[in-house]
């Protein structure tokens, strides 16, 4: 199908934004996105016109929510006052096109547990090794092989040695215990949807291997709590260097997570 939009949507910026690890550019301007039981091939034709491998029915049922198409990111950007916050204005203009994806919750948990104290290439490599270890190969719409993200049951069935082969380091015990708890029902992923943001953060950080940063990432990228504000190395630097009098969380609610992504991507690109 063809998707036309006047709103912000930049596939490359999303793929490189640090929120997703399997959103892959397979050739110039062509992206493959495995999500749940589906796999999408998408490419931009003229600006604002996207060619998708799915039919409209599948787009409406799955991908529309995944790309958060019901929210105008242009409107969110235009809430920023250029004179009062020139840094955030510049970051948002530079990184416009980033959207907060509504990713699968279990995959988001596993991905961000893996992400602790690692760079993005290492995270992506471990996730692919885990998928290959657990999942049967499938074909994308172009006929190329990919491995779907494994279920909790499949990961729970692995030994620690198996997980070590995925180059997870000390995180292998976190991954195994989390998968076992989800598979057994000790952790009910749906329960997080019914909590306030404060309660959700508190409950998430009770999970073995999940600290505040990972919990905030799960809230933003897996539960789509778009006011969640993960604070890692780059964001700490931004808060110290650009907001010496304090970042105005209340002013920018309920979109702090979107602004965080603009700042993170902009600062990393500018200072790398």
């Amino acid at each position: 199908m063809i998707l036309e939009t006047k709103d912000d949507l930049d596939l490359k910026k999303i793929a490189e934004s640090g929120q997703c690890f399997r959103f892959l550019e397979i050739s110039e301007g062509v992206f493959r996105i495995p999500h749940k039981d589906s796999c999408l091939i998408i490419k931009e034709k003229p600006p604002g016109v996207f060619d998708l491998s799915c039919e409209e029915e599948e787009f409406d049922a799955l991908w529309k929510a995944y790309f958060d198409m019901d929210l105008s990111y242009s409107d969110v950007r235009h809430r920023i006052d250029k004179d009062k916050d020139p840094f955030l204005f510049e970051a948002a203009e530079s990184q416009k096109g980033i959207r907060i994806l509504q990713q699968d919750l279990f995959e988001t948990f596993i991905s961000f547990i893996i992400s602790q104290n690692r760079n993005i290439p290492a995270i992506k490599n471990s996730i692919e090794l885990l998928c290959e270890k657990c999942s049967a190969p499938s074909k994308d719409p172009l006929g190329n092989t990919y491995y779907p993200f494994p279920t909790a049951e499949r990961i729970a069935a692995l030994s620690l040695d198996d997980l070590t082969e995925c180059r997870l380091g000390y995180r292998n015990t976190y991954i195994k215990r989390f998968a076992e708890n989800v598979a057994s029902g000790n952790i009910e992923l749906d329960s997080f949807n019914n909590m306030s943001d404060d309660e959700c953060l508190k409950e998430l950080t009770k999970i073995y291997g999940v600290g505040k940063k990972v919990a905030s990432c799960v809230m933003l990228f897996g539960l789509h709590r778009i006011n969640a504000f993960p604070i890692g190395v780059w964001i700490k630097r931004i808060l110290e260097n650009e907001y010496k009098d304090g970042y105005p969380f209340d002013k920018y609610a309920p979109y702090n997570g979107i602004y965080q992504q603009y700042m993170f991507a902009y600062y990393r690109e500018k200072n790398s």
Side-chain angles (χ1 to χ4, degrees):
M1 67 164 280
I2 299 297
L3 171 67
E4 297 185 42
T5 180
K6 294 180 180 179
D7 197 25
D8 301 349
L9 177 57
D10 187 311
L11 300 173
K12 193 171 187 68
K13 280 188 168 67
I14 294 172
E16 296 176 352
S17 66
Q19 64 175 299
C20 51
F21 304 106
R22 307 197 76 210
F23 191 128
L24 178 67
E25 187 171 20
I26 56 175
S27 61
E28 183 67 32
V30 180
F31 295 81
R32 181 176 70 195
I33 311 167
H35 176 50
K36 297 187 176 180
D37 296 326
S38 297
C39 186
L40 181 71
I41 301 295
I42 180 172
K43 60 182 176 181
E44 187 168 11
K45 302 176 82 174
V49 180
F50 299 85
D51 190 355
L52 284 68
S53 61
C54 66
E55 298 297 329
E56 188 171 353
E57 182 179 4
E58 181 183 332
F59 176 79
D60 289 341
L62 184 66
W63 299 104
K64 185 178 181 181
Y66 177 83
F67 285 106
D68 197 20
M69 296 305 295
D70 285 333
L71 178 62
S72 171
Y73 279 65
S74 176
D75 288 349
V76 172
R77 279 192 300 106
H78 285 117
R79 294 176 77 241
I80 304 167
D81 188 313
K82 181 179 181 179
D83 295 325
K84 293 182 178 178
D85 197 337
F87 169 75
L88 183 55
F89 182 87
E90 184 176 346
E93 287 298 305
S94 170
Q95 300 302 321
K96 66 183 177 183
I98 291 177
R99 305 181 75 86
I100 304 298
L101 304 175
Q102 296 198 37
Q103 300 180 70
D104 176 74
L105 182 53
F106 178 72
E107 179 175 346
T108 305
F109 261 110
I110 296 295
S111 297
F112 281 95
I113 291 173
I114 289 173
S115 77
Q116 297 174 80
N117 301 312
R118 307 186 81 188
N119 61 37
I120 289 177
I123 299 164
K124 289 182 175 181
N125 184 53
S126 286
I127 290 172
E128 289 306 318
L129 288 171
L130 182 64
C131 292
E132 291 174 18
K133 175 74 71 174
C134 292
S135 302
S138 189
K139 296 290 185 182
D140 69 21
L142 296 177
N144 298 316
T145 298
Y146 80 100
Y147 292 83
F149 200 84
T151 63
E153 289 76 14
R154 286 183 176 272
I155 296 177
L158 297 178
S159 67
L160 288 176
D161 286 342
D162 290 331
L163 288 168
T164 298
E165 292 176 7
C166 300
R167 300 177 185 174
L168 299 174
Y170 66 86
R171 305 160 197 85
N172 60 6
T173 57
Y174 301 161
I175 296 295
K176 184 168 177 61
R177 186 180 298 185
F178 177 72
E180 289 173 342
N181 281 326
V182 172
S184 68
N186 287 335
I187 294 176
E188 296 182 3
L189 297 180
D190 288 343
S191 67
F192 297 107
N193 292 314
N194 303 317
M195 301 176 186
S196 69
D197 284 358
D198 289 343
E199 183 184 9
C200 187
L201 183 64
K202 181 180 178 180
E203 291 303 312
L204 287 171
T205 54
K206 292 179 181 179
I207 297 171
Y208 179 62
V210 175
K212 189 173 181 180
K213 163 71 183 309
V214 171
S216 297
C217 288
V218 169
M219 289 176 66
L220 182 57
F221 306 127
L223 290 163
H224 206 66
R225 308 285 185 107
I226 58 173
N227 204 44
F229 195 87
I231 299 177
V233 172
W234 287 110
I235 297 298
K236 283 180 181 177
R237 291 177 187 172
I238 289 167
L239 296 180
E240 290 169 359
N241 297 332
E242 308 295 338
Y243 292 97
K244 291 181 170 53
D245 294 327
Y247 173 84
F249 288 99
D250 291 341
K251 176 182 177 180
Y252 289 135
Y255 303 116
N256 281 297
I258 296 174
Y259 298 136
Q260 184 266 8
Q261 276 289 278
Y262 292 147
M263 293 190 292
F264 169 78
Y266 173 69
Y267 222 63
R268 188 181 61 173
E269 182 180 283
K270 185 178 178 180
N271 293 283
S272 296

